[in-house]
Amino acid sequence: MKSARAKTPRKPTVKKGSQTNLKDPVGVYCRVRPLGFPDQECCIEVINNTTVQLHTPEGYRLNRNGDYKETQYSFKQVFGTHTTQKELFDVVANPLVNDLIHGKNGLLFTYGVTGSGKTHTMTGSPGEGGLLPRCLDMIFNSIGSFQAKRYVFKSNDRNSMDIQCEVDALLERQKREAMPNPKTSSSKRQVDPEFADMITVQEFCKAEEVDEDSVYGVFVSYIEIYNNYIYDLLEEVPFDPIKPKPPQSKLLREDKNHNMYVAGCTEVEVKSTEEAFEVFWRGQKKRRIANTHLNRESSRSHSVFNIKLVQAPLDADGDNVLQEKEQITISQLSLVDLAGSERTNRTRAEGNRLREAGNINQSLMTLRTCMDVLRENQMYGTNKMVPYRDSKLTHLFKNYFDGEGKVRMIVCVNPKAEDYEENLQVMRFAEVTQEVEVARPVDKAICGLTPGRRYRNQPRGPVGNEPLVTDVVLQSFPPLPSCEILDINDEQTLPRLIEALEKRHNLRQMMIDEFNKQSNAFKALLQEFDNAVLSKENHMQGKLNEKEKMISGQKLEIERLEKKNKTLEYKIEILEKTTTIYEEDKRNLQQELETQNQKLQRQFSDKRRLEARLQGMVTETTMKWEKECLLFQPDQNAPPIRLRHRRSRSAGDRWVDHKPASNMQTETVMQPHVPHAITVSVANEKALAKCEKYMLTHQELASDGEIETKLIKGDIYKTRGGGQSVQFTDIETLKQESPNGSRKRRSSTVAPAQPDGAESEWTDVETRCSVAVEMRAGSQLGPGYQHHAQPKRKKP
């Protein structure tokens, strides 16, 4: 959770490119535990202060066909087997405590397999305190003289702090002391000898540049995450020997600033390192600890010890705490001792121990998954959802990885050969984690009051050994002579005393005059400074008025533009609706146009068919009357009229009449007659060179068994190579049919109705011969047939 005023606010959204958008990678450190026996096989070797190397153990190589690998892993810093707790604290935890006192958050957790030294690193051992007691000692060394009185700050259930005046705090202290079995303050209570050696720190450590114009309060809480449930280790539950109640699990909540916290968690205000560690030790005895094959006291849960530092500025007089809730700053340091990851085939866990190991490994796997997704999102620019909610551990510390403070991890490893595979997984996780970047937290806001308020009204400085101004003035006067008169006739002592007093009086008067002169000069300077400040204020006020006028003008312009924008949006909406209507009308008109076009096409086709029928009828009538005229001539002795042969359409041109030898004589009345034709049975180049037209007579059997003769016509062209080519342009079909009624054919069983009411049918030779067959030039689909015949009208 991030430092904030009164409540822990969510980190404000920062635009890209801003200075506050800087990111720092997760600091990952490695600590190597000493071997239990000097001759024990080792699988980890420290190369330098940033690199370790993993060796494959001998037995591991034999079981895997002699496969030997050496892998190196780099960290921010590697601490060897001879590293002291002080050295580790100075590098890893000291910067986090310094940030805590300056209003920034921090997260420090230890990670490793069971028995790798995580709890020793975090808590310590008798005579060698760990990171936790050293952090507490540094905090109270820094703020010891600036702590607020007890109950000035009060914790509430909304993940924030309330502030009370000193009178209300005094009344609450008296009320607490009047309660039965009041807790004795740490100053009047002896330190528990069970942990006295663990908090005795010889080295004095203090934060730099502590704000002396503020008061501080320290609150601690201690929880554990066991089987993915959260329990409060400081909760006071009355013990019932008959029917003991199991501890109640706590829920994670999100405050109004979207920061995660444990709802209903006990927060204890502490005033010293001893009192804070005693609270920790009281909760430590409630942790889930069980014996496994690897470790006699293996932690079966993740423990989280939170140190919350509350800071509020003094008022303008420097006497009391400023009673403004918005000026409270809250920062938090979370010290996490993760449960050890382990393999059940080595721990030989059964029953509850097996279920515990599964939950521990599952939560650690979720932590690894979150680190993998964060790393992938940052490296490849993806936006995958980080599965924080899959585990209570990752969900609780979601805000840290989203940029609420610094994150540090200490990887503890046991170099014995049996832990090679587990250490390999730990190293891979550490390698991924240190590539994850966390946004740098922003600095806290300054309250705006004048610094130095705490010591301004005191007669001496904070050190207490500076002399007063009156003492300096008295020491500058000449010493008085001896005033003892031993002889009645002594006439020198009194005159000397009078002279010395007159000198002192004159010196005093000179100092008074000098003081008045300097005072007047200082007053003049003050007056001049006041005038300058007043002119500056007037100038700034004028500038401010101009800016306000400009802002007012810009607001009016913005309002005008907004109104114009609304008007234009309304017009655009109307135009869009009109466009929609027009488009619908356009689609309807297009459909209607297509319908009309289809109707016109059908009418045009009907018209052409009607014209063809009428033309056939005219031709039929003409031929009929010509025959009748020939049959009924008035002069029977007149000479016979010479029959006119049918002429080719191309009369006048020279033709090549190609009649294959296989053709048969049809003995029909109408025979093609082509004058000036060269008749050949086989086409040759000599004949083609002399003519301009070409005609091929082709015979084949029709579907009714009669012989059908086709005259295929074409034009002869000369080619560039000196030869000839023929391009076919027309086909005439001559067909012979029997007049027997059995060979009559109809186009359909029921003839469609004709426009003039006549029946369409095939009747006689006259009708059949009136059918013209024509092939259009240039067609690639074969002959195109166009019928001109009209049905024969029945005689009345």
Side-chain angles (χ1 to χ4, degrees), residues 144-160:
S145 58
F146 309 131
Q147 291 192 70
K149 293 182 179 180
R150 203 179 292 267
Y151 305 123
V152 169
F153 298 110
K154 284 187 64 177
S155 175
N156 56 32
D157 295 333
R158 299 181 300 275
N159 197 30
S160 61

Side-chain angles (χ1 to χ4, degrees), residues 325-377:
K325 196 173 181 180
E326 294 77 12
Q327 294 291 342
I328 298 177
T329 301
I330 302 174
S331 55
Q332 179 171 293
L333 175 61
S334 298
L335 303 175
V336 185
D337 183 10
L338 297 177
S341 61
E342 55 190 23
R343 300 171 65 191
T344 55
N345 58 353
R346 293 187 58 212
T347 59
R348 302 173 188 174
E350 298 177 354
N352 292 334
R353 301 289 84 80
L354 182 61
R355 186 170 61 257
E356 290 170 356
N359 288 321
I360 291 169
N361 292 335
Q362 180 63 33
S363 62
L364 296 177
M365 184 61 67
T366 303
L367 179 62
R368 296 181 184 180
T369 304
C370 292
M371 295 297 104
D372 288 334
V373 176
L374 282 172
R375 172 177 171 269
E376 183 177 353
N377 288 343

